[in-house]
Amino acid sequence: MKGIWKKNKITLLVLIILIITGTIILGIKGFEKSPDLKAGTKIEIYIPQGYEKQEIIDIAQQSFNENHLAFEEVEKLNQIAGIKVNNYSKEQLNDFKAKISEKYEIDEEDLEIYEIPMPTVRISTLAEPYVLPIILATIISLIYVLFRNFKSENKWKIILRIVFTLTIVLGTYFSLILIFGLPFGNYTMPLALAIYIITLIILVNNKK
């Protein structure tokens, strides 16, 4: 493992610069939340004969002038669709109703639409369930590595190297999200956990 780090000093320096840049962006403006995490209004619409998901999304994008809308299937019968919109006017909502009525041949007066206020979802709320699994997996893995290298003079260096590598990998992942302005959504933390666990397994099984 020593040889790997000596040959990749430039790569390490680039990653550290990325992490520093990401940390600065985090301090200035934080993560960009995906539409489903932002405060807004969920507009639920009842269509008795069923609907096509993409048709609802297309109509909503045209009416509300938003390219990234959070769509939700409210129930399994494919009759109630939910669209989360951050900001919209009464005129835009009426336009949405008119287009839905025309598309699915429903009288506007019979069209059932409900506006449900949705609070913002804190990123810490999404991250919290993953903290304990990551801590436990790390502690168990480090104890295993420590016992495996118990007679080695470099056992603590190996432990520190693993912790440092994990920090760099996870820090790079979140920094890239910040630098490129990628939305922090419901899949961000599961992907982070997957990357972390895969890296941990590789490091633990590396006996060099």
Side-chain angles (χ1 to χ4, degrees):
M1 195 181 287
K2 277 186 179 181
I4 294 175
W5 283 108
K6 287 181 180 179
K7 293 176 183 178
N8 291 281
K9 287 183 178 179
I10 296 177
T11 302
L12 179 59
L13 180 61
V14 171
L15 294 179
I16 290 175
I17 292 173
L18 279 175
I19 292 172
I20 292 172
T21 305
T23 303
I24 293 172
I25 295 173
L26 179 64
I28 295 173
K29 66 176 187 178
F31 287 100
E32 174 64 29
K33 292 182 180 178
S34 62
D36 52 329
L37 299 186
K38 294 178 180 178
T41 301
K42 183 169 72 171
I43 299 173
E44 289 188 358
I45 181 167
Y46 175 62
I47 303 173
Q49 66 268 42
Y51 62 86
E52 290 292 333
K53 175 182 176 180
Q54 193 56 50
E55 290 178 350
I56 300 293
I57 293 175
D58 290 342
I59 292 172
Q61 287 177 340
Q62 293 169 16
S63 297
F64 300 113
N65 296 321
E66 287 193 30
N67 293 323
H68 303 288
L69 293 165
F71 177 87
E72 179 184 347
E73 294 180 0
V74 181
E75 41 74 63
K76 299 297 182 181
L77 297 176
N78 208 43
Q79 292 178 323
I80 304 177
I83 292 286
K84 186 176 178 182
V85 184
N86 294 328
N87 294 294
Y88 63 93
S89 64
K90 186 176 180 180
E91 289 74 19
Q92 288 176 317
L93 180 60
N94 289 335
D95 182 69
F96 179 65
K97 289 180 180 179
K99 287 179 178 176
I100 291 292
S101 297
E102 181 182 355
K103 180 67 180 179
Y104 294 100
E105 299 179 348
I106 305 172
D107 193 298
E108 269 196 68
E109 294 183 359
D110 297 328
L111 193 61
E112 296 183 37
I113 287 187
Y114 304 95
E115 299 172 75
I116 306 170
M118 302 290 290
T120 185
V121 178
R122 295 174 64 88
I123 289 178
S124 58
T125 302
L126 289 181
E128 188 176 350
Y130 296 89
V131 174
L132 184 59
I134 285 176
I135 291 174
L136 289 176
T138 304
I139 290 174
I140 292 171
S141 298
L142 292 180
I143 291 174
Y144 167 74
V145 172
L146 187 61
F147 274 99
R148 191 182 67 193
N149 298 278
F150 189 74
K151 295 182 179 180
S152 173
E153 295 180 357
N154 297 321
K155 56 180 177 291
W156 293 112
K157 288 184 179 179
I158 294 172
I159 294 295
L160 290 174
R161 199 174 295 126
I162 290 175
V163 173
F164 179 73
T165 304
L166 290 169
T167 303
I168 290 292
V169 169
L170 214 53
T172 301
Y173 170 72
F174 286 114
S175 294
L176 288 173
I177 291 175
L178 287 159
I179 292 169
F180 289 102
L182 300 175
F184 193 109
N186 290 313
Y187 298 103
T188 303
M189 286 308 300
L191 182 56
L193 179 62
I195 292 172
Y196 187 88
I197 295 300
I198 290 171
T199 304
L200 184 60
I201 291 172
I202 293 172
L203 291 171
V204 168
N205 287 281
N206 190 333
K207 298 181 180 181
K208 294 182 180 180

